[in-house]
Amino acid sequence: MFWKHDEPKFEVRPLYSIREELELIREFCWQPKLEAGKIYTEEEIDAVEKRLNFKIPQPLRELYLVLGDYLCDKKDTWFCRPEELHWNGKYLLVTAMERTNSGWGIYQKDPYLSVYHWQRSEVNIYGEEQAKKPKSEVISKSARNQYFSKSCFYWDIFIIHHVLDKVRQDWWNLHQTQMTEELSPFYIGCSLPKKLDELRKVRQRMEEWLLPISSKAELLRVEKSGKNTGPEDYVVYAYTNPEKTLLVLSFSAQEKYGMITREPVPYSFAEQAEEKTGMLFWSWNGQGRKRMEEKEKEMRAAGLFQR
């Protein structure tokens, strides 16, 4: 099988501990959801490993110890709870379980314990078994492709990105329950320029005040692709301020940032962030939206949204 013979083209490193990063992110999770869930203990994880006869990757272990089942929402394709982790043939299924026909997991014989995209044959998209006995298998070329992508090779990167996506998604959907005409815990930034030199300026200005939430750059850097891009062209997935009272998260698909605060704050707080970062922020209660629209109109007229 091809993945037995191939090795990553980048230098393989040990998995990072991400406990410190997860503990910081925990402060910005949707607290009612977090408190309604279960946080697992070392003893419970040890029992799971004994049942599986397998030591799960340290970042996955830390996910359960710090955030518990916060990312195990059955409405989404997230992680299995520790008691749900199980082998299906040669694959330890880590996400999606029996309710869909694909997910992410670990190939038992992979020496790197890398992230594998798997699918279940003879199962429909809802996880319902068809006539034949279902079988889990790596999607064609999945392992090879992942060997050339750090973001989908390491469990530490994979978990951090999924956690941040979940946090952002929760605040996007749920923040209105804590929003008033004056206060909001969630502000959306204006779109980032697509011209590489301008994007670099934005990042440099932001980093005069904001700090990446981890000193391990590989966990957070989303490299830009395209013509004339280089190692200096990337977006940082998550920042915090020196006081660690806010998170600034990348909306990678929309190429913009959002700002989450621990408590609902007035728009004047967002304006202070604007002064320090050079970005504009607006809230769904209407504050700042007109200024943002005018700024994006100016950027469009200046051609900043074109490569």
Side-chain angles (χ1 to χ4, degrees), residues 75-279:
K75 293 183 295 184
D76 299 304
T77 303
W78 297 106
F79 293 83
C80 303
R81 292 177 173 83
E83 60 270 22
E84 298 169 336
L85 293 173
H86 68 285
W87 292 102
N88 190 327
K90 298 178 181 179
Y91 302 95
L92 179 65
L93 308 188
V94 176
T95 74
M97 270 201 55
E98 306 295 340
R99 57 198 170 78
T100 69
N101 66 350
S102 68
W104 303 93
I106 298 168
Y107 177 52
Q108 190 176 32
K109 296 184 178 181
D110 174 27
Y112 304 110
L113 294 183
S114 50
V115 181
Y116 277 80
H117 192 187
W118 58 268
Q119 65 182 5
R120 301 175 69 229
S121 58
E122 305 303 330
V123 175
N124 64 21
I125 61 172
Y126 305 107
E128 298 168 345
E129 296 181 6
Q130 306 301 299
K132 298 181 181 179
K133 184 178 180 180
K135 176 184 177 182
S136 295
E137 55 192 359
V138 170
I139 292 177
S140 178
K141 298 185 179 180
S142 167
R144 178 188 290 273
N145 291 339
Q146 289 167 58
Y147 279 156
F148 306 125
S149 172
K150 292 182 182 181
S151 64
C152 215
F153 179 83
Y154 291 110
W155 280 103
D156 46 25
I157 297 176
F158 183 86
I159 289 173
I160 284 290
H161 285 201
H162 274 69
V163 169
L164 291 172
D165 279 345
K166 178 64 171 173
V167 170
R168 176 189 56 77
Q169 177 181 306
D170 275 352
W171 282 102
W172 182 271
N173 294 332
L174 303 171
H175 76 281
Q176 296 180 63
T177 63
Q178 292 192 16
M179 184 179 69
T180 68
E181 291 184 359
E182 300 296 331
L183 302 175
S184 177
F186 182 66
Y187 289 87
I188 306 164
C190 64
S191 299
L192 299 175
K194 293 187 177 180
K195 286 189 175 295
L196 294 176
D197 56 344
E198 293 297 325
L199 184 61
R200 293 171 198 152
K201 292 178 184 177
V202 170
R203 194 184 69 243
Q204 290 167 359
R205 174 74 181 274
M206 291 174 65
E207 292 178 352
E208 291 176 2
W209 176 51
L210 296 173
L211 306 167
I213 66 168
S214 175
S215 60
K216 310 173 186 97
E218 297 96 327
L219 294 179
L220 299 171
R221 287 188 179 182
V222 180
E223 297 177 358
K224 305 295 290 184
S225 60
K227 187 177 180 180
N228 300 322
T229 57
E232 71 279 11
D233 299 311
Y234 60 87
V235 172
V236 173
Y237 218 77
Y239 291 101
T240 188
N241 59 344
E243 299 78 19
K244 297 184 178 179
T245 57
L246 60 82
L247 278 186
V248 175
L249 301 183
S250 168
F251 290 59
S252 55
Q254 295 91 345
E255 296 191 346
K256 62 177 64 178
Y257 283 93
M259 181 174 66
I260 300 170
T261 58
R262 292 193 182 188
E263 301 290 339
V265 294
Y267 184 61
S268 58
F269 184 92
E271 290 179 310
Q272 293 173 13
E274 291 175 355
E275 292 175 2
K276 295 180 178 180
T277 63
M279 298 181 68

